[in-house]
Amino acid sequence: SGAPEDSTSAPMHFECGTKGTKELNDQFKLKYKNSVYFIGLWHSHPFGSSQFSGEDKLSMQLVVTKLSPPKSLLLIIAYDKENHSMGCSVFDKSQFQN
């Protein structure tokens, strides 16, 4: 679907917005009778680790609390000139409730 319009980006930073994402997800679920819907996010860490960062965790907290999926997947692809790796994490709404 592309980045939401309230996303911000720079060469070394991307912050994914949420504007319109709940409505888009609701449209897909209705149109495809709950067979197509949001399951998570992916991004890359060029020359970095495939592990999620503190900033990634904060982003996922926003996703699961604002967009309300019970669980959400985060896939990170790390790479450099010679290697690549993937890290996958599942975030549950209960992780962020007090």
Side-chain angles (χ1 to χ4, degrees):
S1 64
E5 66 180 68
D6 59 334
S7 300
T8 57
S9 65
M12 297 300 290
H13 175 79
F14 175 76
E15 185 173 329
C16 189
T18 59
K19 187 174 183 179
T21 54
K22 185 170 185 345
E23 295 80 6
L24 181 62
N25 188 48
D26 290 345
Q27 288 173 10
F28 277 120
K29 287 170 70 174
L30 181 64
K31 181 177 180 177
Y32 297 105
K33 299 180 175 139
N34 287 322
S35 64
V36 176
Y37 52 89
F38 173 84
I39 61 166
L41 303 172
W42 73 271
H43 66 272
S44 62
H45 285 176
F47 305 100
S49 166
S50 60
Q51 298 297 311
F52 66 84
S53 67
E55 191 171 326
D56 292 328
K57 186 174 181 179
L58 288 174
S59 294
M60 294 308 292
Q61 180 177 3
L62 178 65
V63 166
V64 299
T65 57
K66 190 166 186 172
L67 301 181
S68 300
K71 294 182 181 182
S72 186
L73 182 74
L74 175 61
L75 174 66
I76 298 173
I77 303 164
Y79 63 90
D80 59 30
K81 291 180 181 181
E82 298 176 8
N83 300 299
H84 70 277
S85 63
M86 292 187 291
C88 186
S89 302
V90 176
F91 291 84
D92 189 295
K93 188 180 287 192
S94 66
Q95 292 176 253
F96 304 111
Q97 295 173 341
N98 294 347

